Amino acid sequence: MRKPKVARMLFALFLGCFVMVILYFNSSLKPASEPVGESSGQKSRRSPLQTLYDGDQIESAIQAIHQGRRELLEEACHSYTRKRRVLIPEDLKHVIVDDKHGLLYCYVPKVACTNWKRVLMVLTGAAGSHRDPLAIPANEAHVSGNLRTLSEYSTSQINQRLRSYLKFVFVREPFERLVSAYRNKFTRSYNTAFHKRYGTKIVRRHRPDPLPEALERGNDVTFEEFVYYLVDPATQREEPFNEHWERVHSLCHPCLIHYDVVGKYETLEQDSRYVLQLAGVEDQVSFPTSSKSTRTTGDMAAQFFQNISPFYQKKLYNLYRMDFLLFNYSIPAYLKFR
């Protein structure tokens, strides 16, 4: 009589374990948020990722340009990156998440990131009633907490989004971006926080016999002094680069994250429109067009590099070399070390 009873107990135990396993896998496989376009009452629609790789709604010439950029980036990563490592949350602090539309955007300062943050605030609802990105003050676009970053999610939620969301980044010719950062942070009188934080340090370390006023204010840093600061090995030993002059490959990790769209500042409007088309929101929001006449150009960058010796030009190029290689930018013709 004991054997049937034992058998029944074993069967019940097995059945209970089986149910627990099913429940566990159901919970672990369940997406962290609803699939794109499948919130209550909405008809399912294609995600931006599906539109990119399966779609035929976008001009084939644009598709071909971006496929070429993806392939070049992959080849460069294979050629110039020796070791692969695992992504950690620290790597994802610049990746903004739009769960509503299935987008991941890695923002790079001085590459139209203010306007992209504004657009994403409109798309995610963080802008409130604003439908025009330019109605959002620039400083509000940079307030932490308005937009979520991928580093804030759990490991399973991160992996799910990396697999199923459209990942995009915008890049710029490295030295034009660098000159733009210098002009904005060191030549504008209102940037006193940067002058105090970095300018005083640069003057103290790289200017012979600085005046007390310069040591106090740090508001007259020259471009040459800024270059000396960047190439000085002590700078990075002391602390990481500020995001405005940090290399794109260090901010966005393009050899660890497979970006689906690599937009370029040089074709900003066309590439931005392409991303919004993929997301299916081109009728909801437009990327702001820039009419700035003060935009940093290649000719302007060349003027700033005139007083930089070939020795320091080469050191600076070596510092930003991976950005040139990964994103297919040529060595600028104005450099003298070649």
Side-chain angles (χ1 to χ4, degrees):
M1 291 294 292
R2 288 179 58 83
K3 285 187 178 179
K5 188 175 180 180
V6 171
R8 283 197 300 273
M9 287 176 65
L10 287 172
F11 178 74
L13 182 63
F14 171 77
L15 187 61
C17 291
F18 180 73
V19 170
M20 289 292 289
V21 169
I22 293 297
L23 289 173
Y24 171 78
F25 276 103
N26 278 344
S27 65
S28 64
L29 290 173
K30 188 177 180 181
S33 62
E34 291 176 313
V36 176
E38 291 188 11
S39 55
S40 57
Q42 282 190 343
K43 190 176 179 182
S44 173
R45 64 177 176 82
R46 289 201 304 180
S47 72
L49 202 59
Q50 289 170 326
T51 303
L52 174 67
Y53 290 108
D54 305 333
D56 53 3
Q57 305 166 342
I58 297 172
E59 186 186 338
S60 58
I62 303 295
Q63 297 269 38
I65 287 170
H66 286 276
Q67 182 179 342
R69 288 181 189 171
R70 285 194 301 273
E71 291 172 355
L72 282 168
L73 177 56
E74 190 175 337
E75 288 170 12
C77 285
H78 185 265
S79 299
Y80 301 109
T81 306
R82 292 200 182 99
K83 290 191 293 186
R84 292 291 179 109
R85 62 175 180 79
V86 176
L87 280 168
I88 58 174
E90 185 72 21
D91 299 327
L92 306 172
K93 287 187 172 181
H94 272 245
V95 180
I96 293 172
V97 181
D98 176 1
D99 281 322
K100 188 175 179 182
H101 300 93
L103 299 173
L104 296 177
Y105 161 60
C106 187
Y107 72 90
V108 178
K110 307 314 298 175
V111 193
C113 77
T114 301
N115 281 342
W116 261 114
K117 286 181 179 181
R118 285 166 161 160
V119 167
L120 288 167
M121 284 179 70
V122 171
L123 290 178
T124 60
S129 59
H130 291 310
R131 306 314 303 162
D132 176 11
L134 288 179
I136 303 168
N139 63 320
E140 194 175 322
H142 297 293
V143 172
S144 61
N146 280 341
L147 294 164
R148 292 192 72 183
T149 64
L150 198 54
S151 60
E152 298 171 41
Y153 291 76
S154 70
T155 302
S156 62
Q157 290 172 331
I158 289 170
N159 289 333
Q160 185 259 330
R161 283 160 176 75
L162 286 172
R163 283 195 308 269
S164 59
Y165 284 16
L166 182 88
K167 300 168 290 296
F168 68 100
V169 62
F170 274 75
V171 301
R172 184 178 186 177
E173 200 278 340
F175 284 173
E176 285 182 30
R177 175 176 170 248
L178 188 66
V179 170
S180 177
Y182 166 76
R183 293 177 67 218
N184 179 252
K185 300 306 175 188
F186 293 104
T187 70
R188 305 286 190 265
S189 59
Y190 56 79
N191 267 324
T192 53
F194 266 80
H195 301 159
K196 282 279 188 182
R197 173 77 177 79
Y198 296 100
T200 54
K201 182 186 296 186
I202 292 171
V203 169
R204 186 172 65 252
R205 189 182 291 174
H206 298 289
R207 183 178 300 179
D209 303 319
L211 295 174
E213 185 180 0
L215 286 168
E216 172 67 24
R217 295 186 179 181
N219 62 349
D220 63 347
V221 171
T222 66
F223 185 66
E224 294 98 303
E225 290 168 337
F226 180 51
V227 170
Y228 301 154
Y229 167 77
L230 293 173
V231 301
D232 183 352
T235 299
Q236 284 193 77
R237 283 201 303 267
E238 193 174 83
E239 61 180 343
F241 276 170
N242 180 276
E243 62 178 12
H244 290 85
W245 48 84
E246 179 60 281
R247 286 70 55 92
V248 177
H249 76 271
S250 296
L251 291 174
C252 294
H253 308 282
C255 295
L256 298 176
I257 298 172
H258 177 79
Y259 287 98
D260 306 293
V261 176
V262 177
K264 293 204 169 186
Y265 192 75
E266 296 77 14
T267 50
L268 177 63
E269 291 178 19
Q270 174 184 291
D271 295 343
S272 298
R273 188 166 56 249
Y274 177 60
V275 172
L276 295 177
Q277 285 177 329
L278 291 171
V281 296
E282 69 272 25
D283 57 344
Q284 299 175 34
V285 64
S286 296
F287 190 84
T289 54
S290 175
S291 57
K292 279 189 177 181
S293 57
T294 57
R295 175 185 286 190
T296 301
T297 63
D299 289 341
M300 197 179 293
Q303 292 174 11
F304 276 86
F305 273 85
Q306 277 183 348
N307 296 326
I308 307 298
S309 71
F311 175 78
Y312 280 103
Q313 286 183 4
K314 182 153 193 179
K315 285 178 80 73
L316 193 68
Y317 173 78
N318 287 338
L319 192 61
Y320 288 86
R321 178 173 172 267
M322 283 300 291
D323 280 0
F324 279 98
L325 296 172
L326 293 176
F327 304 114
N328 198 31
Y329 286 108
S330 303
I331 299 176
Y334 56 75
L335 295 183
K336 303 166 189 168
F337 68 81
R338 296 182 304 165

